[in-house]
Amino acid sequence: MLSRLEAKKPSLCYSEPLTTEKVRATLSVLKGILTSCYGPSGRLKQLHNGMGGAVCTTSQSAVLLRNLSVTHPILKILTTSVQNHVSCFSDCGLFTAILCCNLIENVQKTDLTVTTTIKLNTHLLNFCTNYLRSEVCGCRIPVDFSNTPILLCLVRSILTSKPACMLTRKEIDHISVLILRAFLLTIPENTEDPIILGKSIIVPLKGQRVTDSTVLPGVLIEVSEVQLMKILLVRKSSPLKVVLFSTSLSGDFSDPGEGNVVVSDGVFLENAVLDQLINLGRQLVSDRVELVLCQKVIHPSLKQFLTTHQVIAIDRVGVMLMEPLSKVTGAQPIGSLGSISPGSYGSVKDWCSAKFGCKHFFHLIPNEATVSSLLLCNRSDTAWDELKTYEEPGSILQDDGCTQAELQLIAEAFCSALESLAGSLEHDGGEILIDMKYGHFWSIQAGPSSVVNWTDLLSRCGCGVYSSQEELGWSFLRSTCHPFVPQTCLPHESWEVSPQSAHSLTLDCLTAKLSGLQVAVETANLILDLAYVIEDKS
């Protein structure tokens, strides 16, 4: 009996999607959610499925956008663009999303054609990018590897902006030092051109004290206590010859698909494969291999054979550790059961056992520490997951034939979008000022507005670089003020700051910020250029 089939519903097609009130309202709600989470004092959000389930507490864009249910095509474009940016840079997601929403909202008020808007937006983006990359940029701080306090400021700023991590100041300092140490360990001692960085592996330890976190050179492989006891019975030597398998050593057959496997009469496949594995083991023993690491499963008989010959065999290390293990040992991952080339072997300096919390690890100690393991501890799953933590305006009119009035309208919309973004950093009803010398952000608490001497209410700017005791003039953000060219930051010699004074600095990664700016403008241009949306209704 044939089942009844429901006729397919016709697709919906509607033009100028941004003109509908529903889309604008939804975009405004999304912007409001993201804005309230922005900056060092951003607020937390709790997300949960309407049908029940786990509750997610976060202020991170990656977690917010992953857990928000977005159905409209325009919002999907925006959230996907931001998620792609965050997947590359792991920072500035909220900045990107809020700026994109601001640009869309402001440009719609200008009533200019889409073509003109996109041209001018692109020119203004290039103008901003060229300035931010130039030596005269007033918001860049020179950083070098000999100045660890400044590097610590960057790490600490990122951690401080994640309140759901629930870290104390002491814990933030501890984790910041470990993250910086893990990064510095990825830099090889013998530098070449180009420099090839090593790798830092994050090992989660939930339910532990944050201050128990540590960094160890090399790779930690989690093993059971029973397996570790067996490994400890093997005689140690230094250095160890290592072989690394990316293929399974379990003896299972791969799926032949639609083909056939031809077997000679009297041949048992299981025995033939096991014989091949044992022959492989004999070659490893003959080549004096002392450590066998396998991404997948090792057959118990092969594992017993290797152990009998004083060879350590560890399986199920997983695909995520294959690249770090190859870097640490110098071994080339082997993907077949054939004869092994001598050049595929590697070595490590030593190994030892380790225990952290309730977990046991096999610790590989490298010859050169360009790979490290960062054991990251936190008290709860939620807190740990959160921790895992160019073109001049004058030439625009000449090149594209835009009028001065059109340029003025888009420039005001563009600047207003950036100003609104800066205003989103204030969450307690206070006022935001900018100084007329450096153009930095200053925040004052809500209160009487009759005070004329702002210096009495201000201490340091938002990033902590400048003090209000300098001879500075002030202006409210978004108010009309005379144009001025911000002075550049202090010379490089002035950044030899102590760890104590570095606590007051709040920094962002310039590369991530530049990418976020570009993604925000390009995504806004894409959404503004949408003329029709076709939705398939099944």
Side-chain angles (χ1 to χ4, degrees):
M1 180 178 178
L2 295 175
S3 61
R4 298 179 62 185
L5 298 177
E6 184 179 354
K8 182 181 179 298
K9 296 179 181 179
S11 299
L12 297 179
C13 177
Y14 47 94
S15 62
E16 299 182 353
L18 282 178
T19 60
T20 63
E21 188 61 34
K22 181 180 179 181
V23 173
R24 290 187 178 186
T26 306
L27 200 61
S28 178
V29 170
L30 177 63
K31 172 187 167 183
I33 293 173
L34 300 175
T35 299
S36 65
C37 298
Y38 184 56
S41 60
R43 303 305 195 242
L44 292 172
K45 292 290 174 290
Q46 286 194 326
L47 307 172
H48 69 94
N49 190 303
M51 302 299 292
V55 176
C56 171
T57 304
T58 187
S59 63
Q60 290 192 65
S61 60
V63 182
L64 280 170
L65 297 180
R66 186 172 64 244
N67 287 276
L68 284 175
S69 178
V70 175
T71 57
H72 196 278
I74 287 181
L75 296 185
K76 285 184 177 180
I77 291 174
L78 194 157
T79 55
T80 301
S81 295
V82 175
Q83 286 173 313
N84 288 339
H85 162 80
V86 173
S87 68
C88 295
F89 295 93
S90 303
D91 197 12
C92 299
L94 292 174
F95 166 87
T96 304
I98 298 169
L99 179 57
C100 182
C101 292
N102 287 344
L103 284 170
I104 294 171
E105 185 178 286
N106 290 352
V107 164
Q108 285 186 292
K109 300 174 184 176
T110 63
D111 292 329
L112 295 179
T113 65
V114 173
T115 303
T116 300
T117 297
I118 292 175
K119 280 183 181 179
L120 294 177
N121 270 347
T122 303
H123 280 301
L124 291 171
L125 168 64
N126 293 335
F127 179 81
C128 293
T129 303
N130 288 341
Y131 172 74
L132 290 171
R133 287 175 173 162
S134 70
E135 295 299 322
V136 298
C137 175
C139 50
R140 283 175 50 169
I141 291 179
V143 174
D144 61 62
F145 294 115
S146 64
N147 192 343
T148 54
I150 294 297
L151 292 172
L152 277 174
C153 286
L154 177 58
V155 181
R156 191 181 293 112
S157 299
I158 296 173
L159 292 177
T160 304
S161 68
K162 307 289 186 283
C165 293
M166 295 183 286
L167 300 177
T168 65
R169 178 168 176 170
K170 178 182 177 181
E171 291 169 342
I172 289 176
D173 291 342
H174 180 71
I175 295 295
S176 299
V177 170
L178 294 182
I179 291 174
L180 179 57
R181 185 182 302 163
F183 168 71
L184 294 177
L185 283 174
T186 66
I187 303 174
E189 295 179 5
N190 301 319
T191 57
E192 300 176 356
D193 192 16
I195 295 176
I196 300 177
L197 296 179
K199 196 171 186 67
S200 182
I201 308 161
I202 296 179
V203 181
L205 286 174
K206 302 176 183 179
Q208 301 294 122
R209 297 184 305 171
V210 176
T211 51
D212 290 337
S213 302
T214 187
V215 173
L216 298 174
V219 177
L220 287 174
I221 303 174
E222 186 175 355
V223 295
S224 67
E225 184 177 6
V226 174
Q227 187 179 5
L228 188 60
M229 292 301 103
K230 292 180 180 179
I231 293 174
L232 291 174
L233 298 176
V234 178
R235 293 193 304 270
K236 292 180 65 174
S237 62
S238 182
L240 279 78
K241 194 172 184 179
V242 181
V243 67
L244 185 60
F245 286 96
S246 58
T247 188
S248 174
L249 301 180
S250 65
D252 293 337
F253 298 105
S254 59
D255 185 2
E258 297 181 359
N260 298 318
V261 178
V262 179
V263 181
S264 301
D265 188 31
V267 174
F268 296 95
L269 283 179
E270 292 79 5
N271 293 343
V273 173
L274 183 56
D275 289 342
Q276 186 180 15
L277 290 175
I278 297 301
N279 288 334
L280 176 65
R282 290 194 179 98
Q283 181 186 351
L284 297 177
V285 172
S286 175
D287 291 344
R288 299 185 182 278
V289 172
E290 296 157 289
L291 176 60
V292 176
L293 299 171
C294 182
Q295 174 186 332
K296 301 177 182 178
V297 178
I298 300 178
H299 193 283
S301 297
L302 175 58
K303 189 179 291 187
Q304 180 63 38
F305 175 86
L306 294 171
T307 303
T308 303
H309 290 82
Q310 297 295 303
V311 178
I312 300 173
I314 300 178
D315 59 357
R316 305 175 191 269
V317 299
V319 67
M320 298 301 293
L321 284 184
M322 292 301 289
E323 181 189 353
L325 285 171
S326 182
K327 284 181 177 290
V328 163
T329 63
Q332 300 300 316
I334 299 170
S336 67
L337 301 182
S339 180
I340 300 174
S341 167
S344 298
Y345 295 128
S347 68
V348 289
K349 182 179 179 180
D350 202 353
W351 69 270
C352 66
S353 62
K355 182 182 179 183
F356 298 95
C358 60
K359 293 186 177 182
H360 298 268
F361 297 93
F362 180 81
H363 182 197
L364 283 178
I365 302 172
N367 296 307
E368 184 182 357
T370 58
V371 175
S372 63
S373 296
L374 171 58
L375 286 105
L376 206 52
C377 305
N378 215 329
R379 291 169 286 271
S380 66
D381 287 358
T382 298
W384 191 91
D385 290 335
E386 193 77 1
L387 183 59
K388 177 148 138 237
T389 200
Y390 315 131
E391 184 81 44
E392 293 298 326
S395 63
I396 296 178
L397 303 178
Q398 180 181 355
D399 293 343
D400 289 326
C402 301
T403 67
Q404 182 68 42
E406 290 172 336
L407 175 60
Q408 184 72 22
L409 283 172
I410 293 299
E412 288 177 357
F414 197 96
C415 292
S416 176
L418 292 171
E419 287 183 336
S420 297
L421 183 66
S424 301
L425 292 168
E426 174 57 55
H427 297 279
D428 297 310
E431 295 284 355
I432 297 177
L433 305 175
I434 57 171
D435 66 81
M436 307 303 291
K437 184 177 181 180
Y438 304 109
H440 277 221
F441 167 100
W442 303 74
S443 178
I444 57 173
Q445 296 179 354
S449 58
S450 58
V451 179
V452 177
N453 188 8
W454 294 112
T455 305
D456 296 337
L457 296 178
L458 302 170
S459 56
R460 303 196 73 85
C461 64
C463 65
V465 173
Y466 297 112
S467 167
S468 63
Q469 300 306 313
E470 301 183 36
E471 295 294 328
L472 300 175
W474 310 96
S475 175
F476 284 103
L477 185 69
R478 302 190 187 95
S479 66
T480 303
C481 62
H482 293 291
F484 70 101
V485 178
Q487 293 187 15
T488 57
C489 285
L490 300 173
H492 188 274
E493 311 83 58
S494 303
W495 290 105
E496 299 297 327
V497 295
S498 64
Q500 291 74 22
S501 59
H503 271 286
S504 62
L505 297 182
T506 302
L507 306 178
D508 262 332
C509 175
L510 178 63
T511 305
K513 214 74 168 182
L514 281 169
S515 173
L517 176 64
Q518 182 173 349
V519 170
V521 176
E522 291 178 350
T523 303
N525 285 344
L526 175 61
I527 292 174
L528 290 167
D529 198 29
L530 286 177
Y532 293 92
V533 171
I534 300 174
E535 285 190 273
D536 192 13
K537 296 292 184 180
S538 57

